[in-house]
């Protein structure tokens, strides 16, 4: 839980997101060299996390970098339960309450049978929505999405994701955006703001789309 002025925390998380993406951009070519064109979302994420844990500059940004970070909550009975697993979490303290979450999704996928699928709808309904319903980043002002654009066409993927966001704006309580952010190398970035379902607080979701150009 972020204690204090939420505006200050937003600025801190934005800066952390940018610094982290700089390290993602730095290790991305090596990550791709270890993967094939048919690599699945979890495999890509695991490979990326392993490389970032070894990166000296990346390690300065967090207390620990966790893949599939378990988020706990409480049932009506008071018993502890698992709410979900964040694909990547930059944990900022020993208690694990302050973290920057990254939910990772594949986009513009070509299946083995040749069928192409944008998956922009699932990016929103199975990814972005988890910040709105407070499954992830509860009481935190910022969460992040990381899109692996499998055909490398980040501009097309961005257009499809924006369309999906606007088509589902009521269910994801869209308050502002999508708004373009400054690209980082070949990583396209944008942001959106949403009102959370239960506590009615707003959360800023920061999106980054990475071109997947595997050598495999």
């Amino acid at each position: 839980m972020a204690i204090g002025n939420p505006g200050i925390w937003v600025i801190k998380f934005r800066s952390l997101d940018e610094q982290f993406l700089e390290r993602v951009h730095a290790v991305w070519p090596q990550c791709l060299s270890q993967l094939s064109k048919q690599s699945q979302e979890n495999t890509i994420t695991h490979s990326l996390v392993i490389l970032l844990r070894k990166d000296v500059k990346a390690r300065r940004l967090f207390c620990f970098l966790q893949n599939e970070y378990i988020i706990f909550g409480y049932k009506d009975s008071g018993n502890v339960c698992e709410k979900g697993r964040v694909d990547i979490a930059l944990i900022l303290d020993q208690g694990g309450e302050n973290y920057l979450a990254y939910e990772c999704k594949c986009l513009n996928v070509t299946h083995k049978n040749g069928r192409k699928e944008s998956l922009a709808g699932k990016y929103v309904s199975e990814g972005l929505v988890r910040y709105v319903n407070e499954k992830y980043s509860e009481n935190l002002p910022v969460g992040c999405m990381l899109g692996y654009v499998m055909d490398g066409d980040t501009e097309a993927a961005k257009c499809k994701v924006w369309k999906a966001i606007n088509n589902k704006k009521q269910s994801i309580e869209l308050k502002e955006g999508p708004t373009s952010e400054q690209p980082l190398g070949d990583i396209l970035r944008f942001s959106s703001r949403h009102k959370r379902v239960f506590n009615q607080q707003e959360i800023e979701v920061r999106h980054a789309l990475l071109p997947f150009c595997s050598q495999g």
Side-chain angles (χ1 to χ4, degrees):
M1 177 186 294
I3 299 175
N5 188 330
I8 293 176
W9 275 99
V10 169
I11 293 171
K12 288 182 177 180
F13 276 128
R14 285 174 181 167
S15 176
L16 178 59
D17 172 50
E18 184 164 348
Q19 293 176 75
F20 181 67
L21 287 177
E22 286 176 354
R23 300 321 305 158
V24 170
H25 186 263
V27 304
W28 190 237
Q30 184 179 356
C31 183
L32 292 179
S33 71
Q34 300 172 358
L35 301 168
S36 73
K37 293 179 181 179
Q38 298 301 322
S39 292
Q40 300 298 306
E41 177 185 296
N42 288 343
T43 302
I44 299 170
T45 302
H46 294 165
S47 299
L48 181 58
V49 167
I50 289 171
L51 289 173
L52 289 166
R53 284 176 179 168
K54 296 177 180 178
D55 185 83
V56 174
K57 292 182 179 179
R59 291 205 304 266
R60 296 171 184 164
L61 302 177
F62 45 77
C63 180
F64 191 67
L65 182 65
Q66 182 65 53
N67 181 214
E68 296 187 1
Y69 183 53
I70 300 175
I71 305 298
F72 292 103
Y74 294 91
K75 297 180 179 179
D76 293 339
S77 63
N79 293 330
V80 175
C81 64
E82 180 181 318
K83 292 176 64 177
R85 299 186 180 218
V86 176
D87 289 328
I88 301 176
L90 280 68
I91 302 169
L92 307 179
D93 55 44
Q94 292 292 337
E97 291 187 351
N98 291 312
Y99 62 91
L100 184 60
Y102 286 82
E103 179 69 3
C104 305
K105 294 295 180 187
C106 287
L107 294 164
N108 291 9
V109 172
T110 300
H111 297 282
K112 290 183 178 180
N113 61 5
R115 183 172 64 90
K116 296 183 178 181
E117 191 174 11
S118 78
L119 297 179
K122 289 186 177 181
Y123 177 99
V124 175
S125 63
E126 297 180 10
L128 174 57
V129 73
R130 294 177 183 177
Y131 295 108
V132 180
N133 63 21
E134 298 168 61
K135 190 172 184 178
Y136 299 159
S137 301
E138 184 178 7
N139 296 318
L140 295 171
V142 175
C144 301
M145 295 290 298
L146 203 57
Y148 306 134
V149 183
M150 303 306 289
D151 67 354
D153 193 344
T154 52
E155 282 289 352
K158 174 185 169 183
C159 290
K160 292 171 184 176
V161 169
W162 280 36
K163 182 177 180 181
I165 288 174
N166 282 300
N167 285 343
K168 299 176 183 291
K169 61 183 179 181
Q170 291 185 336
S171 63
I172 58 174
E173 295 286 352
L174 181 66
K175 304 299 291 183
E176 184 180 327
T179 304
S180 292
E181 302 278 347
Q182 186 69 27
L184 201 163
D186 54 3
I187 299 176
L188 286 188
R189 300 193 300 151
F190 57 95
S191 60
S192 55
R193 293 191 64 82
H194 309 263
K195 184 174 72 175
R196 285 184 273 207
V197 172
F198 300 109
N199 65 18
Q200 301 296 295
Q201 295 175 349
E202 289 192 8
I203 184 170
E204 178 178 309
V205 180
R206 303 185 63 77
H207 307 255
L209 305 183
L210 285 73
F212 189 95
C213 301
S214 173
Q215 298 175 9

